[in-house]
Amino acid sequence: MKDQVGFFNALLGTCRGTEIFPRLCRNSWGRTVLHLFLLSVFCAFAVTLVQAVRTGPEINRFATGFFDAFGNLKFNAYGLKPEIQPDKARTYAISGGRWVSYFPSTPDGVVIPEKELLLTTVGVVWTPKQLIILTPLGEDSWQCSVFPIGSLFPSGRNCSTAELKSFLAGLRDVPGKIPFMPETTAVWTKHYVMTNICAVMAVMLLLFHFLTAFILPFFYTGMFALVFRFTGGRQLRSMTLGTFWKIGIYAGFPVMLFASCFPAFDLPFLRYGTVYMIGLVIYWLVAAGRIERAGMESGGRRFDE
């Protein structure tokens, strides 16, 4: 245990160069996984925080415009309605092809103009008892997600433009009350709604970024280690294949920090996974070569013993 490297020394050492890698060979797998877990948590928090700061003003502008147009939201057993003109159908358009269309009732279904669909990046159809989120997936392809008000079980479907129009035209008012909902009306203010939405979004983003940062290293290093094993792994003299795999995880540490900048700042062209894979392979081979040279210089010493 005394020869093993701690988290901060491992992180700083791998960012400074390859000198620390012979020492990292002696770290146990448990310690290696713990270090990866800690760095994944740090990267997830950092990316989520930067994204929140970067997109916060835009979200606030949307929320201000939305609540100016619709007022507070009123929710009871008969559905979710705006405080301002609850019986008037209207659309609140946002820049970039995003919009929210409110329909107090749908006796004849919902019709979205063809021109509006062509420019849509995200659209929301809001009726008192359901929210329908429309997202274009490509040419003549849509993701249609239906969220019944008061239910925890949304449904989704992929459809063509013609199928989407047919689906919307077939929407009808849902009769009766929402099960298990009180008839007393709750008023949701802008502060209440945005606090809850932002909290849920932050948790979901944090979990997504953590799983990405934690799982990708195992997937890429494991895949590359297997390929290396069947193409030249027996040429390793100063470490076993398992240690080579472990070194790959540590070689990814500085790459994880760099790759996190891409989702955090929404940088163009490259994604986190692409940047991580390219940087990992290059630095991993350099680090493995450093260990092999150190082993030969010390008379064939194995650093994982």
Side-chain angles (χ1 to χ4, degrees):
M1 292 292 293
K2 64 180 180 180
D3 295 329
Q4 299 195 31
V5 182
F7 171 69
F8 290 106
N9 287 334
L11 179 59
L12 293 175
T14 55
C15 290
R16 288 172 177 170
T18 59
E19 290 78 8
I20 198 172
F21 282 94
R23 294 175 56 201
L24 291 173
C25 291
R26 294 186 176 274
N27 274 14
S28 65
W29 266 106
R31 180 175 289 249
T32 301
V33 173
L34 175 61
H35 289 176
L36 177 61
F37 174 84
L38 294 175
L39 184 58
S40 299
V41 170
F42 171 78
C43 289
F45 269 104
V47 172
T48 303
L49 179 61
V50 173
Q51 286 182 329
V53 172
R54 182 171 53 82
T55 60
E58 183 179 358
I59 294 175
N60 186 62
R61 283 195 299 271
F62 161 73
T64 300
F66 177 86
F67 280 90
D68 285 345
F70 292 101
N72 295 329
L73 303 181
K74 292 187 173 182
F75 179 55
N76 56 28
Y78 298 96
L80 181 67
K81 297 182 179 182
E83 187 176 50
I84 298 175
Q85 296 180 303
D87 298 323
K88 179 182 178 181
R90 56 198 186 275
T91 296
Y92 172 64
I94 316 164
S95 61
R98 293 165 291 180
W99 48 265
V100 177
S101 289
Y102 170 69
F103 298 88
S105 62
T106 55
D108 301 316
V110 171
V111 177
I112 305 297
E114 180 74 23
K115 183 179 179 180
E116 193 168 329
L117 282 177
L118 290 174
L119 299 176
T120 296
T121 54
V122 177
V124 179
V125 175
W126 169 19
T127 70
K129 293 184 179 177
Q130 56 187 347
L131 297 175
I132 302 164
I133 301 178
L134 311 177
T135 309
L137 301 177
E139 186 177 353
D140 197 35
S141 180
W142 293 82
Q143 170 68 37
C144 181
S145 304
V146 181
F147 295 82
I149 302 296
S151 173
L152 299 177
F153 303 101
S155 60
R157 54 184 293 184
N158 292 342
C159 55
S160 65
T161 302
E163 291 171 335
L164 176 64
K165 291 180 178 179
S166 177
F167 169 75
L168 294 177
L171 287 177
R172 294 295 183 269
D173 296 327
V174 179
K177 302 177 183 178
I178 300 175
F180 310 112
M181 288 294 144
E183 293 192 25
T184 55
T185 300
V187 178
W188 294 351
T189 63
K190 171 188 172 184
H191 179 267
Y192 174 82
V193 172
M194 296 311 300
T195 298
N196 283 274
I197 290 178
C198 289
V200 172
M201 290 177 59
V203 171
M204 293 177 64
L205 281 174
L206 184 64
L207 182 61
F208 171 78
H209 292 310
F210 167 75
L211 291 176
T212 300
F214 189 69
I215 292 175
L216 275 185
F218 285 109
F219 176 75
Y220 283 135
T221 57
M223 180 177 61
F224 188 79
L226 286 176
V227 171
F228 188 81
R229 169 67 179 83
F230 291 111
T231 58
R234 294 184 180 180
Q235 298 176 4
L236 293 173
R237 297 181 178 88
S238 301
M239 54 184 160
T240 64
L241 183 65
T243 301
F244 177 69
W245 187 2
K246 188 192 309 177
I247 289 303
I249 292 178
Y250 279 114
F253 277 18
V255 186
M256 288 172 65
L257 296 176
F258 177 70
S260 295
C261 296
F262 283 78
F265 296 101
D266 195 25
L267 299 179
F269 307 120
L270 295 176
R271 299 291 183 181
Y272 177 92
T274 306
V275 176
Y276 178 81
M277 180 179 64
I278 296 173
L280 168 70
V281 172
I282 296 173
Y283 194 38
W284 190 2
L285 292 178
V286 172
R290 171 69 174 81
I291 296 172
E292 289 291 288
R293 287 195 304 273
M296 289 187 289
E297 292 170 358
S298 60
R301 174 188 175 189
R302 296 185 66 88
F303 291 98
D304 51 0
E305 293 178 349

